[in-house]
Amino acid sequence: MRVPSTEKRKTVYTEAMEVFHAAADLIGLDRRVRLELEEPDYEHIFYVTATLNDRLAPLPKSEHARYEKLASSQIRNPAGLTPLYDGKFILRHDALRGADLHVENGVIRLGEKGLFRIEEGQAKRFKAYRVQHNQARGPYKGGIRYHKDVSLDLFKVLASEMTWKTAIANVPFGGGKGGIKIDPRQYSSDELEAITLRYMYKMKQLIGPDVDIPAPDVGTNGEVMAWMFRQFSDGERERHTMRGIVTGKDTRIGGSEGRVKATGQGLAYCVEEWFKDKQLPIKGSRMIVQGFGNVGQAASEILVAMGARIVAVQDADGTIYNPDGIDVAALTEYVYANKDNLKKSVGGFPGAQEISKSDFWAVDCEVVLPCALGNAIDADVASKIKAKLVAEGANHPTSPEGDEILASRGIDLIPDIIANAGGVTVSYYEWIQNKRMEHWTEAEVNARLEFAIKSNYRIIQDIALNRPRKTPEFDSRGFVVGKQLPARTAAMVLALKRIEAHYLIEGFSQ
Ligand code: NAD
């Protein structure tokens, strides 16, 4: 029987928990364990402030006539001005060094770039979060997201998904997630550093290498992790013992080989297994990818190396299509090594044609890889998809209605909690290497990852097909429920059985 929820309103969290309830009902999850898992252990909301740099903001056209005679200024120190994607520039005081300046009423002309108003840098406040969902199996573990569309409810969803994912990957962690409501592209690197330091300062008493371990997520990366490590360990004599406070670090400061690509690599291993099951060749298969960030880029590169063709890519600012296959190496160069591509977008890539946002989902292909944000595949999108498989690189990319439509159309699904578990699995390897002061080779990391992802993928398949087996690699006999299940429910059954065992065998701390 379902435990009555304290949430009456339907929220993204209660919606995301529907699969939890379905799996809990199926296995008769212990009632107290269910109550423990139904809501997070802790939900932290707090605020961080930072003082921003001055900015140059494009002057509205209506005011241009007034400054027709304003001479152009010369700023010769390239470090003095940093362009932002929204047309503004960060203006640092060292811009003055060697400059010829002409300013009138706070307006300045920069040659062909046009007229700008100097905006005074002001202090700003940002809303920040850390949700710690469950730690029955080990320290809370989960990424830090910097994005403008975040909320407590969203972080509850993402933190709970980490609890399920760490159990499925069978790593000794629980689930957490957090971040800041911010569009990082509107800020300079030094501003983001200041904001991150303040964020970590406020979180310091909540986390620790054996308590709660953040990692990169949307809008953050290894550089942000380095700032977080520095802030956490600042002033400590034994800071080397604290390297495990964050994962996803640069390999030169305790990061693991293979971590940057791990989520994409794990996704590719799952897709490879699916092709093997279907006895279809991955070579020559067509795939479309939404999101060309950490996950989407790495998955594309690895799947192309396995012989697949990426025929369309969509990100926040563009959608591109090439039926012959996009040159992923050239696209990576175009997005990440091109200083003029301020939006870091695939839009405008010369090796493909631009198509509309909505045409993307209807592109002919065998595999769809959503690797961007949540709820991308709603009912409408699910009815357009032509693929045979949706493999979820992103967290929660398919809405419950989307799920139903995919199932009714016979489209297979590899759910996020196994498909993108590669990242947290290698995060665990990084954490172990930090504890042991070791550094493993990429080959060793990938061999362990391949075994972990493929064996847990197999257990989920066995639960879905009601096929109890013991092989030299895995044992699915304790997890099957006596009937066939959708893949998403099967994955949740595996997670819940592994978590429940901790409560039932260890008991509850009082
Ligand atoms: P990222 O910030 O590196 O890249 C995100 C990509 O999504 C970018 O290309 C961006 O342009 C695109 N995007 C954003 N909004 C979009 C929109 N409205 N439409 C189309 N594209 C859009 O982030 P990431 O680390 O690659 O994470 C992507 C997803 O994978 C997220 O859901 C994240 O939670 C999940 N995930 C990441 C990891 C990891 O290790 N990085 C691990 C597990 C799950």
Side-chain angles (χ1 to χ4, degrees):
M1 194 195 74
R2 176 173 296 198
V3 177
S5 166
T6 48
E7 301 260 14
K8 294 212 169 54
R9 191 169 51 93
K10 199 168 178 181
T11 66
V12 282
Y13 183 63
T14 53
E15 194 172 272
M17 289 296 277
E18 282 171 14
V19 60
F20 163 83
H21 290 296
D25 286 345
L26 265 170
I27 64 171
L29 184 73
D30 177 88
R31 185 184 159 87
R32 188 166 170 194
V33 174
R34 190 167 181 152
L35 288 172
E36 288 281 333
L37 290 170
E38 215 172 30
E39 292 291 341
D41 288 350
Y42 304 98
E43 299 169 5
H44 305 281
I45 295 185
F46 49 103
Y47 295 87
V48 293
T49 58
T51 304
L52 304 180
N53 294 303
D54 291 347
R55 278 164 167 65
L56 296 183
L59 193 72
K61 286 250 172 341
S62 56
E63 296 182 42
H64 279 203
R66 229 179 115 186
Y67 300 96
E68 213 174 309
K69 298 212 172 78
L70 180 63
S72 187
S73 295
Q74 294 287 327
I75 293 185
R76 298 190 176 85
N77 178 5
L81 282 184
T82 309
L84 296 175
Y85 88 105
D86 56 4
K88 291 187 177 180
F89 284 84
I90 300 282
L91 174 67
R92 289 192 192 73
H93 293 138
D94 52 9
L96 295 179
R97 218 179 292 139
D100 294 325
L101 292 183
H102 306 275
V103 183
E104 193 182 323
N105 295 326
V107 172
I108 184 170
R109 182 189 297 282
L110 288 178
E112 286 174 1
K113 293 189 184 89
L115 289 162
F116 295 85
R117 183 173 298 287
I118 302 173
E119 284 182 349
E120 188 194 338
Q122 291 192 338
K124 195 164 174 180
R125 182 176 56 218
F126 302 89
K127 195 166 186 175
Y129 304 82
R130 184 71 184 168
V131 174
Q132 296 170 319
H133 180 261
N134 187 271
Q135 61 167 175
R137 303 182 74 259
Y140 303 107
K141 182 85 190 82
I144 300 294
R145 179 172 294 197
Y146 287 179
H147 196 269
K148 58 184 171 34
D149 302 323
V150 294
S151 63
L152 178 62
D153 224 33
L154 176 69
F155 282 125
K156 284 174 68 174
V157 173
L158 297 171
S160 64
E161 292 212 331
M162 288 306 295
T163 302
W164 323 138
K165 200 178 301 181
T166 48
I168 285 171
N170 216 1
V171 295
F173 290 141
K177 203 88 174 193
I180 306 180
K181 192 171 175 60
I182 184 173
D183 178 357
R185 298 178 306 174
Q186 291 185 359
Y187 300 90
S188 64
S189 173
D190 52 338
E191 288 170 339
L192 287 173
E193 180 176 351
I195 292 162
T196 302
L197 294 178
R198 194 72 186 160
Y199 177 57
M200 187 50 139
Y201 172 78
K202 293 247 172 144
M203 272 204 303
K204 211 166 165 176
Q205 67 271 41
L206 311 175
I207 69 174
D210 294 304
V211 180
D212 183 356
I213 306 148
D217 188 67
V218 176
T220 61
N221 54 23
E223 194 178 16
V224 176
M225 295 305 111
W227 297 331
M228 293 184 80
F229 169 71
R230 189 181 89 219
Q231 177 66 304
F232 188 84
S233 62
D234 207 19
E236 300 287 342
R237 285 195 78 114
E238 295 182 3
R239 65 204 305 252
H240 51 273
T241 62
M242 296 171 185
R243 295 240 168 249
I245 179 58
V246 283
T247 57
K249 299 180 291 290
D250 188 301
T251 50
R252 294 164 295 183
I253 59 163
S256 178
E257 301 295 339
R259 174 60 185 90
V260 172
K261 293 202 170 150
T263 307
Q265 183 75 63
L267 181 61
Y269 286 144
C270 290
V271 171
E272 193 183 20
E273 288 302 278
W274 181 87
F275 273 92
K276 206 187 284 171
D277 274 349
K278 298 281 167 190
Q279 298 181 324
L280 290 170
I282 199 163
K283 198 166 170 21
S285 62
R286 295 160 306 165
M287 307 190 179
I288 64 171
V289 185
Q290 189 197 38
F292 201 69
N294 175 288
V295 181
Q297 187 281 332
S300 302
E301 193 178 298
I302 295 161
L303 287 162
V304 163
M306 289 177 177
R309 259 188 298 157
I310 306 294
V311 291
V313 178
Q314 175 175 85
D315 67 15
D317 301 291
T319 306
I320 57 170
Y321 170 66
N322 182 343
D324 300 328
I326 291 166
D327 179 343
V328 170
L331 182 63
T332 304
E333 180 92 11
Y334 174 81
V335 174
Y336 291 105
N338 173 1
K339 282 210 176 76
D340 297 330
N341 191 345
L342 291 176
K343 290 183 173 172
K344 297 210 176 310
S345 172
V346 300
F349 176 60
Q353 70 187 85
E354 203 91 18
I355 58 169
S356 81
K357 228 176 154 92
S358 59
D359 283 350
F360 170 77
W361 298 106
V363 167
D364 241 332
C365 62
E366 281 70 47
V367 181
V368 170
L369 298 158
C371 301
L373 299 178
N375 284 320
I377 304 180
D378 55 14
D380 182 41
V381 167
S383 53
K384 282 188 191 152
I385 285 176
K386 299 219 171 79
K388 299 186 178 79
L389 171 69
V390 172
E392 297 183 327
N395 284 315
H396 218 254
T398 313
S399 72
E401 298 77 31
D403 249 3
E404 273 174 32
I405 291 177
L406 292 181
S408 72
R409 297 186 56 219
I411 298 171
D412 282 354
L413 179 96
I414 306 180
D416 50 2
I417 47 181
I418 176 71
N420 67 30
V424 75
T425 304
V426 177
S427 275
Y428 167 58
Y429 302 156
E430 178 173 338
W431 185 75
I432 290 201
Q433 290 170 73
N434 292 159
K435 270 200 179 295
R436 294 186 188 163
M437 304 264 189
E438 290 179 357
H439 193 81
W440 304 350
T441 63
E442 188 170 358
E444 184 171 358
V445 168
N446 282 345
R448 285 176 187 252
L449 176 65
E450 182 170 6
F451 179 81
I453 291 287
K454 289 188 174 176
S455 52
N456 288 303
Y457 176 84
R458 289 275 153 224
I459 296 175
I460 293 168
Q461 286 296 101
D462 283 0
I463 301 171
L465 298 171
N466 191 28
R467 185 176 57 188
R469 288 192 283 173
K470 181 171 173 6
T471 75
E473 286 80 35
F474 63 88
D475 185 351
S476 60
R477 293 172 304 174
F479 302 110
V480 292
V481 299
K483 63 172 183 177
Q484 297 201 351
L485 297 178
R488 200 184 296 287
T489 318
M492 185 63 85
V493 164
L494 175 61
L496 295 188
K497 286 204 170 201
R498 282 185 173 154
I499 298 164
E500 185 184 41
H502 279 263
Y503 283 107
L504 297 189
I505 298 168
E506 296 165 16
F508 292 81
S509 301
Q510 300 296 328

